[in-house]
Each structure stands twice: as C-alpha cells, then as structure tokens.
Amino acid sequence: YKFLKIKHSGGKIMKLKKYAVIGIMALLVIVGCDNKGNDKNNKDKVKVTNVKRDISTEEIAKYNEYSKLSDVPNSEEWNTFFTEIKKEEFLNETGNIKNISEVPTFTENLDSSINLIGEYIKEITDVMQKSPKMEAIDKNAENLINSLVEEQKVLTEINDYFEKGDYKADKLAKVGELNDKYKVVLQNRQENHKIFANSLHEIAQIINQKMENQLQKDGKTAKLNILKFVNSVNEFGKTAFGKNNLNFDENEIKTLEEANNNVQNAYKAVSEITLENAKKENISESDFKKIKESSKTLSENMQKMVAGVKNQNIQDVVMSASNILSSKTDLENVFNVLMVQK
C-alpha cells in the first residue's frame, strides 16, 4: 500500500483545520442552494427511477466529471483510510498509556483520512454546482457530501481527543463511544456513496445507448467496439468494487467470472482495431496507442484479479484492483474525448 505522507510539524493543525473548513463551507453551499430548506430527519435520498431519456451534451460532460469522482473511495490512497481506534495500540508492555508520538501510523492514517475527505468534499461540491442541474444525481451528490461532512466531524473529534491528551486523562474510556459513533457515520457515507454510484450507472446506460445508436448509424465500428469494451469494463467494476471489501462468496465469484468473460470478448474486438481504421474515425495515433495499452492492461488484470479471488491470493487481488482502477481512468480520459468528436 502507498501511504499518503503527512508532515508532523507546526502546520499540521492548520492543515486539518483547512479541510474541516472545506467541509463546513460545502455544507453552507448546500444549504444555500436549497431555498426551501431541508428536514434534518429526512435524508431525501433520491434514487434515479424517472430519469429523462433525452440527455444533452452538457449533461454528459457533467456526468463524466461525476463518474471520475465516483471511484475515488476505491483508489489506492484510500486503502489506508482510518477504520477504528484499537486500545491495544496505545498500551505498552507494562500496560501504561503511550504518548501520541509513539503511535505514528495511527496519527498518519487519521490525518490523511481527514485530508482525503476534505479534498473529496470540495471536488464533488465543485461538480454539483455546475450547470446544467441534474436533479436526481445532484441530490444524491448532496446526500453524499452531507454524510462526508458528518464523517469528517467525527474524525476531527477523534483527532482532538488524542491531540489534546484527553485519552490519557480518561485512560481511553471514551474509545468505545468514539468507535461506535464513527461506525454509524461510516456506514451512512458508504450507503450514500452506493446510491450515488448506482444513480450514475443508470445515467451511464442511457448515455451509452444513445451513443451506441449514433455510432451504429454513422458506421463507426472502431468507436462502437471501444464503447462496448468500456461498458463491459464498467460492469466488471460495478461487480468487483460495488462493495466495501474485496472478499467474494461463491455466487459473487460466479458473477465476477461472467463479467470478466464479457470483458475478454469485448477486448478481442478492440485488439483487432487497426491504426488505419482508427484514423478513418478521427482517432489519432496517440489516442490509438493509449486505448490499446490501457485496454490490454485492463484485460490482463481483470483475469489476474478473478484468478486471485478464486485462489484467495489477496496480494494479487489488491494489486490487480489497483491496476484496473488506474487503467480504467486512463481509458475513460481518452474515450470521453473521442465520444464528443464528430
């Protein structure tokens, strides 16, 4: 795993305050956008059930920005995210409570978690405020931001508990209460993220069907095959990363294998695209190479991930998952540009 390095210096508290302020500002933006106000007890989680079938070019552009952010909690940086306080980490061999400086991994993970949430809140808020308004998706983004702000508040409370030395004064008595409080806000964030991701998936299906029909009409076989490959990759991603861990039961493994088979079938068509045919559809040599490289990496790593899951080789699963997410972003960056070209 790659740890996000945090410098423990005089600027540390200011950095944490900066991202706490980002969370509060995002919340103010949301309240400001809601002229009618919100009932705090009503989460108003809008699931996308009646999305209009006609998607504009501007809405596709906004969807693409949202889509990139949807995968952030699955990224490598989030692998070391804070999970809970473990009392034993703060006790030495004689049972005495350690100084906070003696538990550097705990403080690094806690600090980086607060910072990552702050960055994520800002990124989602920036996209949510853009035009055009996409009622269902924007509402799900708002709910996710609200839950991230609440999660950040609890993490900051935990940080203060240790930074101010209260954990020594009460001999770690508040640890159970803080862990329980964090578990609630974490589950809420994960639930809201899943709703947000699912709503994006439905929009993606509408957009992809629109693009597929147009590409078939225009006779652009290369772009059509790339689109089908991207769709199969997204379906694999939904199966592989649509949960809070990388453990799979027997039925989930079967679903993952089926998704992988679809990817491999779609990849075969992409692997057969020639540069000559790509250029006929206004795909540059540079983009052609990027598509070839990222699609090959995706195909290979999805096979490795499935094998790792079946063999219970967690190292292979984690490494393959990391490579998949990285290459998926590379492919989508090129793909999104190609799809708006004439």
Side-chain angles (χ1 to χ4, degrees):
Y1 294 108
K2 180 175 75 176
F3 286 83
L4 184 65
K5 300 296 181 184
I6 305 291
K7 292 183 179 179
H8 293 274
S9 64
K12 174 191 164 192
I13 299 299
M14 289 304 295
K15 188 167 188 180
L16 294 181
K17 284 183 179 177
K18 170 189 172 185
Y19 286 107
V21 168
I22 287 173
I24 294 167
M25 287 175 66
L27 197 56
L28 290 173
V29 166
I30 291 169
V31 173
C33 289
D34 187 356
N35 295 326
K36 295 182 180 178
N38 280 326
D39 179 354
K40 203 165 186 177
N41 296 320
N42 178 14
K43 286 188 179 179
D44 196 19
K45 289 176 182 172
V46 179
K47 297 186 181 181
V48 185
T49 52
N50 295 308
V51 178
K52 62 179 183 178
R53 308 305 293 183
D54 185 25
I55 307 293
S56 70
T57 303
E58 292 77 15
E59 287 173 319
I60 292 175
K62 185 170 181 176
Y63 156 81
N64 286 334
E65 292 192 61
Y66 267 143
S67 184
K68 290 176 187 177
L69 295 178
S70 178
D71 283 336
V72 167
N74 297 319
S75 66
E76 193 174 351
E77 283 185 333
W78 285 57
N79 284 339
T80 58
F81 207 87
F82 174 85
T83 53
E84 64 176 341
I85 309 165
K86 297 177 181 177
K87 273 189 177 182
E88 60 270 20
E89 288 184 5
F90 292 87
L91 299 173
N92 60 25
E93 294 176 357
T94 59
N96 293 321
I97 298 175
K98 296 178 182 178
N99 293 323
I100 192 68
S101 59
E102 298 176 82
V103 198
T105 302
F106 172 83
T107 53
E108 284 182 9
N109 287 356
L110 184 56
D111 290 353
S112 66
S113 299
I114 292 171
N115 294 342
L116 287 169
I117 284 184
E119 292 167 358
Y120 197 35
I121 288 170
K122 183 180 184 303
E123 289 171 344
I124 298 175
T125 303
D126 287 346
V127 176
M128 187 184 72
Q129 289 182 281
K130 291 183 177 180
S131 295
K133 292 297 179 186
M134 299 175 72
E135 183 180 350
I137 306 296
D138 288 342
K139 173 54 69 175
N140 289 333
E142 177 184 330
N143 289 330
L144 176 56
I145 292 168
N146 283 332
S147 59
L148 284 162
V149 170
E150 291 305 310
E151 183 178 5
Q152 189 184 56
K153 285 180 183 177
V154 176
L155 289 174
T156 302
E157 182 182 353
I158 292 170
N159 180 76
D160 289 345
Y161 176 67
F162 286 97
E163 285 295 326
K164 293 177 180 178
D166 293 347
Y167 75 102
K168 282 189 172 182
D170 71 0
K171 297 180 180 178
L172 298 168
K174 199 177 178 182
V175 166
E177 178 191 332
L178 289 171
N179 277 337
D180 289 343
K181 187 183 283 191
Y182 182 66
K183 189 181 293 183
V184 171
V185 293
L186 173 62
Q187 288 176 342
N188 190 36
R189 186 255 289 175
Q190 290 173 337
E191 181 185 352
N192 277 310
H193 181 266
K194 189 171 184 179
I195 292 171
F196 175 62
N198 286 343
S199 63
L200 287 175
H201 180 71
E202 184 167 337
I203 289 288
Q205 289 179 314
I206 299 169
I207 293 171
N208 287 336
Q209 188 59 58
K210 179 179 178 179
M211 289 193 293
E212 189 171 323
N213 292 342
Q214 190 61 49
L215 291 172
Q216 285 178 332
K217 181 180 176 182
D218 296 343
K220 294 185 177 179
T221 308
K223 285 186 177 180
L224 180 60
N225 286 333
I226 296 168
L227 172 62
K228 288 180 177 179
F229 178 71
V230 170
N231 290 344
S232 70
V233 167
N234 286 334
E235 285 299 320
F236 181 95
K238 188 181 178 186
T239 303
F241 308 119
K243 45 192 287 175
N244 299 325
N245 57 59
L246 292 175
N247 297 319
F248 300 86
D249 61 29
E250 191 173 327
N251 288 332
E252 288 171 333
I253 291 174
K254 185 177 179 181
T255 304
L256 197 63
E257 285 182 302
E258 290 173 356
N260 178 52
N261 288 337
N262 291 335
V263 169
Q264 302 311 321
N265 289 333
Y267 173 67
K268 186 175 184 298
V270 172
S271 68
E272 293 172 354
I273 299 173
T274 65
L275 177 58
E276 182 183 0
N277 287 336
K279 284 184 175 180
K280 289 178 182 177
E281 297 183 23
N282 202 25
I283 300 174
S284 69
E285 185 171 353
S286 173
D287 286 344
F288 175 78
K289 287 180 179 178
K290 289 176 185 175
I291 291 165
K292 289 284 187 172
E293 288 170 5
S294 57
S295 61
K296 182 180 180 183
T297 301
L298 284 163
S299 171
E300 291 174 349
N301 279 277
M302 285 176 178
Q303 294 196 75
K304 286 179 184 176
M305 183 175 177
V306 172
V309 167
K310 292 172 72 176
N311 298 329
Q312 297 185 335
N313 187 328
I314 189 63
Q315 185 175 358
D316 280 358
V317 173
V318 171
M319 289 301 296
S320 298
S322 177
N323 291 335
I324 288 167
L325 290 169
S326 176
S327 295
K328 183 174 179 287
T329 300
D330 292 341
L331 177 63
E332 287 176 344
N333 285 342
V334 180
F335 170 76
N336 289 336
V337 173
L338 291 181
M339 290 302 109
V340 298
Q341 290 177 348
K342 296 296 182 183

